[in-house]
Amino acid sequence: MKGLRLDLTVPPPITAKTVALGSRAAPEGSCMPMKLNLGNFMEALEQGADTIIMAGGWGPCRFGWFAQSEADILRDMGYEFELLVLERPDAGWRELPSRLKPLGARTGWPQRVRALRAAWQKLLAVEELEDSRNHFLPRARDKNAVIRLYEQGRQELERCDEPAEMAQINQKLRRSLQSLPQHRRPVPRVGLVGEIYTILEPAANYNIIEELGRLDVECLCSARVTDWVNDHVLGGRAKASEREHILRLARPYIGDTVGGRGQETVGEAVMFARRRAEGVIQIGPLGCMPELVAQSVLPELSVNENVPVMTLWLDEHSGSGGLQTRLEAFADLLRRGPAREEAR
């Protein structure tokens, strides 16, 4: 956005206030992502934003009507703004320039290309940073030191615009993490699958990746922003894609799309099991239809692939204490892994 010379208003980090604002404004039965979206937008509009830019969608998932519904709710509340919906250009990647054209009105094509390239490089750098945290957190004796180093690296990346400097930041972080004392206990690996927003937004998943790391469990994330952009916007041209492989793994259980990432959830669960993950956790917002469909086949998948699977439905009423108890019990189950490995 900065590269496109747009005046950007970033909503503040999600807090209890954000959740409360969105929950009061959302219709009864709305899922947590919609409530958090509304809270984000309300806080940004209060800070002076006059335009909302949001992705669109299609298919059985309710996300397809989020943008228009949220706009109607906010306008009924008295907010005035423009809405720009970026629909997924699955009809063809050549459609992408026309979709992005309103964002580039202040710049020429060279500046737009540079801005998109810089954004892509920063996304890759942030994901590399998160991979380092996910690997070292469960192995380090001092968990807080890992989180401090990760936050420091994230802040440095936020201020950085040069790919070479981004690489240096990640290399420095990895060296710092490697220097931390490590314990020698076994570290089981868990594949995290489910609805993409719930996986990517810590406020929506109650910091499940960090919580698992503090329990000495490594979290393998299935959902990445770069994978989604690569598969659905860039036609798999920016980097190697596993999407077709994942969908093939899902077809014995779910043969066609069910909206959202329901089919991917099943395929990724199979993939993690076959890549020797000790367990799989499915997470999603309460009432998410695609993930409910995926959950219906996970018991059979768990037996066929000999992998423990746990499903967590999350909303604003989910208690962190109850969630912690379930994660601790699942981590204990995974540590009783030798018998399972012999069975496999």
Side-chain angles (χ1 to χ4, degrees), residues 129-145:
L129 185 84
E130 292 172 345
D131 286 343
S132 296
R133 175 203 58 185
N134 297 352
H135 176 81
F136 286 101
L137 182 60
R139 294 170 171 83
R141 292 180 182 175
D142 187 348
K143 313 295 187 186
N144 292 330

Side-chain angles (χ1 to χ4, degrees), residues 98-121:
S98 62
R99 293 288 174 88
L100 297 177
K101 186 176 180 180
L103 298 179
R106 297 182 179 180
T107 56
W109 274 110
Q111 293 93 336
R112 297 174 200 174
V113 171
R114 282 198 296 271
L116 288 169
R117 184 177 292 131
W120 178 256
Q121 292 296 330

Side-chain angles (χ1 to χ4, degrees), residues 211-276:
E211 294 301 326
L212 286 168
R214 291 183 180 277
L215 294 171
D216 296 340
V217 175
E218 181 178 359
C219 194
L220 309 173
C221 284
S222 59
R224 294 175 181 269
V225 175
T226 56
D227 288 339
W228 191 94
V229 172
N230 183 54
D231 292 338
H232 297 288
V233 179
L234 302 178
R237 292 169 173 79
K239 65 175 185 175
S241 173
E242 289 194 294
R243 177 173 167 75
E244 289 304 317
H245 173 63
I246 289 168
L247 295 180
R248 281 196 299 271
L249 294 177
R251 285 186 186 116
Y253 301 95
I254 295 181
D256 203 351
T257 180
V258 294
R261 296 184 75 253
Q263 197 176 18
E264 286 90 336
T265 290
V266 175
E268 287 160 352
V270 175
M271 179 184 70
F272 283 132
R274 295 183 183 179
R275 293 182 180 177
R276 314 297 286 181

Side-chain angles (χ1 to χ4, degrees), residues 7-147:
D7 298 325
L8 188 64
T9 301
V10 180
I14 295 172
T15 63
K17 176 186 175 183
T18 314
V19 178
L21 287 171
S23 298
R24 286 197 295 268
E28 184 177 357
S30 300
C31 61
M32 192 172 183
M34 185 176 193
K35 296 169 184 174
L36 295 181
N37 281 175
L38 281 168
N40 286 150
F41 293 156
M42 292 166 72
E43 290 183 314
L45 292 168
E46 292 291 346
Q47 289 184 348
D50 59 14
T51 303
I52 290 175
I53 301 173
M54 184 174 177
W58 54 271
C61 177
R62 287 179 292 183
F63 179 65
W65 51 260
F66 268 27
Q68 192 57 55
S69 297
E70 291 171 0
D72 290 343
I73 291 168
L74 292 170
R75 286 171 178 144
D76 287 344
M77 296 175 69
Y79 292 103
E80 296 181 1
F81 57 92
E82 296 294 326
L83 175 67
L84 177 59
V85 182
L86 299 179
E87 296 285 357
R88 226 169 65 181
D90 287 80
W93 68 274
R94 292 178 181 83
E95 190 181 334
L96 180 61
S98 62
R99 293 288 174 88
L100 297 177
K101 186 176 180 180
L103 298 179
R106 297 182 179 180
T107 56
W109 274 110
Q111 293 93 336
R112 297 174 200 174
V113 171
R114 282 198 296 271
L116 288 169
R117 184 177 292 131
W120 178 256
Q121 292 296 330
K122 182 166 285 193
L123 278 173
L124 291 172
V126 169
E127 290 175 352
E128 183 180 346
L129 185 84
E130 292 172 345
D131 286 343
S132 296
R133 175 203 58 185
N134 297 352
H135 176 81
F136 286 101
L137 182 60
R139 294 170 171 83
R141 292 180 182 175
D142 187 348
K143 313 295 187 186
N144 292 330
V146 175
I147 298 301

Side-chain angles (χ1 to χ4, degrees), residues 9 55 66 104 184-185 197 200 208 224 242 251-252 281 288 343:
T9 301
F66 268 27
R184 296 188 178 183
R185 297 184 294 274
Y197 182 89
L200 292 174
I208 190 171
R224 294 175 181 269
E242 289 194 294
R251 285 186 186 116
I281 297 178
C288 177

Side-chain angles (χ1 to χ4, degrees), residues 191 267-280 301-302 305-307 340 344:
E268 287 160 352
V270 175
M271 179 184 70
F272 283 132
R274 295 183 183 179
R275 293 182 180 177
R276 314 297 286 181
E278 281 75 20
V280 172
L301 184 155
S302 176
E305 301 295 334
N306 193 28
V307 61
R340 174 173 165 261
R344 293 176 71 171

